Structure formats: structure tokens, C-alpha cells
Amino acid sequence: MSEDLDFSRFIEQIKKKTDIDLSLYKEAQMKRRLTTLRTKHGYATFDAYFQELSKNKVLLDEFLDRMTINVSEFWRNPQRWETLRAKFLPEMIQAQSRLKIWSAACSTGEEPYTLAMILDELHALQKTQLLATDLDAGVIAKATQGYYLDRSIRDVPQMFRGKYFQEDEGVYSVVDSLKKAVHFKQQNLLFDTFDRDFDLIVCRNVMIYFTEEAKHELYHKFSKALKKGGILFVGSTEQIFTPSQYEFETVDTFFYRKM
């Protein structure tokens, strides 16, 4: 079997087993990452790797962890978070009594906890439904626990660090009030249906790994999930060109409003 056919069959088998469509990810990046993982365990082909992966949960969990990009930090790109804190969230809070916010592809929780801290500072956390989702059940479990090393919180403003974290021998634990405010659950962005009527969707530094076709579909899904006037906040490498095709208008750098 040729190398290309071997990988193509692997994509088909994974989709049947997990509902994850690897063809919607940029092929070169995904193939390189999974080839490294496969050869680490001594499998000469993707077919042989899949046969073992099908019956070995540890191997399957490692595969899921490797194919998702679990790189996250609190206050990643601080200027953009300051724009959200100073401009868009106050507008939302003033306009309605309750907010509905979603952190999509939340990884190990730094992003939704950043949102929770800002909302608490604005006295709106108790009036917000805050959802956080990710494909990888392993990172969802870590996010729920809320333990982080110093490198993850390096951009957290000092006033927030002292108020929302408890430090013990270099490990920082998110306070219980934030943990209780975030509802974590597993979700496949490219396959699952979305809830509706969100005021804010935050999805940052994830779509760069998808094909243009997948990104196009995902932007449409995000648009439908937002209420009119709702905001989509994307990553620093994910500018949306011609946002009007998704019923968006650009309202600031990396911020788009549903028209």
C-alpha cells in the first residue's frame, strides 16, 4: 500500500471510530505530527497503528491529545483582552441583564478563566452563563482541576494573580469561585451542532490549523450561534477576510460583530 493511500485510509477509519474528520485539518501539519507519533511506538504503517489504537485506550487518548493543539496562556495577547474588558463587555453588560459566553477550543482552561476574572472584575460573573469546550477530554479534565505552573500565568496582571490564584510550591490553583462559574464540556467544533444566542464567542489560535473549507464552514456556524449584535473574538493570526459573507462586520482588530 502506498504511503498516501495508507494515510487516506487512516483518515477514513478515524472518522468512523471517533467522528473526527482529519481531512478538515491542514494535511501536511497533521500528517507530520501523526507520523512522528506513529513511529515513536514502532508502527511502520498507519494501518498497523490504527489496529492497535482501536483496542488500546491509552494509545487513543494520546492520539487525541497529539492531534489537538493544546497551547494556551492566561491573557494571551494582553492588548486584545484589554479591548474586550474596556470596550465590548461593558457594552454587553449595559445592554442586558444576563450574558451568554462561549470559549470554544478552550484547551486547559486559561482562556475561560481569563474571561471569568474579567467578568468578576466587572461585577457580571454571577449574571453570566460561561461555557468552555474542547475536543480533548484530557485537557477538559485538567481545566476543571484548574492547576497551572508559573509560565502559564506570566501575563496575568498582578492584582488578578493575587485575587484569583492560590500558590503552593510553584503551582497556582484557580480559586473555587471561578471554577464554579465555568461549565466545561467536550465538543467537536467541526462535527457537533452549536447552541444559540451567544453574546460572545471566543475562539483563538485554533482555526489556523484547519483547511480553508473547514474555516469557512466554522465561521458560518459561529455566526448562526451568535445573537444579532454578538461578538466573535479570534486569534492574532486569524483575521477574517470579507467578513460580510458570514454576516459579520469588523468592529476592532480580531473582533467581529454579527449583523
Side-chain angles (χ1 to χ4, degrees), residues 10-26:
F10 181 75
I11 290 174
E12 293 174 6
Q13 291 169 319
I14 287 294
K15 186 174 181 180
K16 289 177 183 177
K17 181 172 180 62
T18 68
D19 287 328
I20 295 170
D21 191 348
L22 294 176
S23 69
L24 297 176
Y25 293 78
K26 292 179 179 177

Side-chain angles (χ1 to χ4, degrees), residues 124-179:
L125 184 58
Q126 301 304 317
K127 300 180 289 185
T128 300
Q129 178 183 336
L130 182 50
L131 172 68
T133 65
D134 199 274
L135 175 65
D136 187 342
V139 300
I140 289 292
K142 291 177 183 178
T144 303
Q145 292 170 354
Y147 293 104
Y148 301 94
L149 298 179
D150 184 70
R151 64 175 179 270
S152 295
I153 68 166
R154 60 190 175 189
D155 287 329
V156 177
Q158 194 60 45
M159 62 173 286
F160 287 95
R161 187 182 297 200
K163 184 176 180 180
Y164 296 110
F165 293 91
Q166 296 173 337
E167 191 266 340
D168 182 18
E169 297 183 354
V171 177
Y172 293 81
S173 173
V174 174
V175 297
D176 287 344
S177 60
L178 295 191
K179 292 180 186 178

Side-chain angles (χ1 to χ4, degrees), residues 145 198 204 256:
Q145 292 170 354
F198 286 101
R204 311 183 71 227
Y256 301 89

Side-chain angles (χ1 to χ4, degrees), residues 47-258:
D47 186 61
Y49 177 48
F50 179 79
Q51 298 310 315
E52 184 61 27
L53 185 147
S54 297
K55 55 191 178 185
N56 185 328
K57 186 178 185 304
V58 173
L59 206 63
L60 178 61
D61 288 344
E62 182 190 37
F63 158 77
L64 293 172
D65 183 67
R66 183 60 61 91
M67 63 149 292
T68 54
I69 314 300
N70 299 318
V71 178
S72 187
E73 298 169 0
F74 290 92
W75 260 269
R76 190 174 186 179
N77 309 119
Q79 288 183 323
R80 298 298 91 211
W81 284 102
E82 177 59 21
T83 298
L84 180 66
R85 186 201 67 80
K87 181 178 180 180
F88 294 114
L89 282 175
E91 290 177 356
M92 295 176 195
I93 293 166
Q94 186 174 12
Q96 53 217 330
S97 59
R98 294 196 62 82
L99 298 180
K100 187 175 181 181
I101 295 176
W102 174 23
S103 172
C106 69
S107 187
T108 45
E110 290 90 337
E111 183 177 276
Y113 286 135
T114 298
L115 281 165
M117 291 179 220
I118 294 172
L119 287 162
D120 193 52
E121 184 211 7
L122 296 172
H123 308 292
L125 184 58
Q126 301 304 317
K127 300 180 289 185
T128 300
Q129 178 183 336
L130 182 50
L131 172 68
T133 65
D134 199 274
L135 175 65
D136 187 342
V139 300
I140 289 292
K142 291 177 183 178
T144 303
Q145 292 170 354
Y147 293 104
Y148 301 94
L149 298 179
D150 184 70
R151 64 175 179 270
S152 295
I153 68 166
R154 60 190 175 189
D155 287 329
V156 177
Q158 194 60 45
M159 62 173 286
F160 287 95
R161 187 182 297 200
K163 184 176 180 180
Y164 296 110
F165 293 91
Q166 296 173 337
E167 191 266 340
D168 182 18
E169 297 183 354
V171 177
Y172 293 81
S173 173
V174 174
V175 297
D176 287 344
S177 60
L178 295 191
K179 292 180 186 178
K180 292 175 182 177
V182 183
H183 173 59
F184 289 99
K185 76 171 188 177
Q186 189 175 13
Q187 182 185 53
N188 185 337
L189 284 180
L190 298 176
F191 180 81
D192 294 339
T193 56
F194 298 167
D195 201 356
R196 296 293 183 97
D197 296 322
F198 286 101
D199 298 285
L200 170 68
I201 297 175
V202 181
C203 187
R204 311 183 71 227
N205 309 301
V206 174
M207 288 175 282
I208 54 173
Y209 300 103
F210 296 151
T211 64
E212 291 303 313
E213 176 188 0
K215 284 191 283 189
H216 179 71
E217 177 64 24
L218 193 51
Y219 287 137
H220 274 302
K221 291 175 71 175
F222 282 146
S223 178
K224 291 177 182 177
L226 283 164
K227 64 173 59 172
K228 186 176 181 180
I231 296 290
L232 174 65
F233 177 22
V234 301
S236 58
T237 58
E238 297 168 329
Q239 185 174 356
I240 303 176
F241 299 100
T242 60
S244 59
Q245 66 181 306
Y246 310 110
E247 298 184 62
F248 288 138
E249 61 176 345
T250 305
V251 287
D252 206 309
T253 309
F254 312 120
F255 290 90
Y256 301 89
R257 191 188 305 277
K258 169 75 174 293

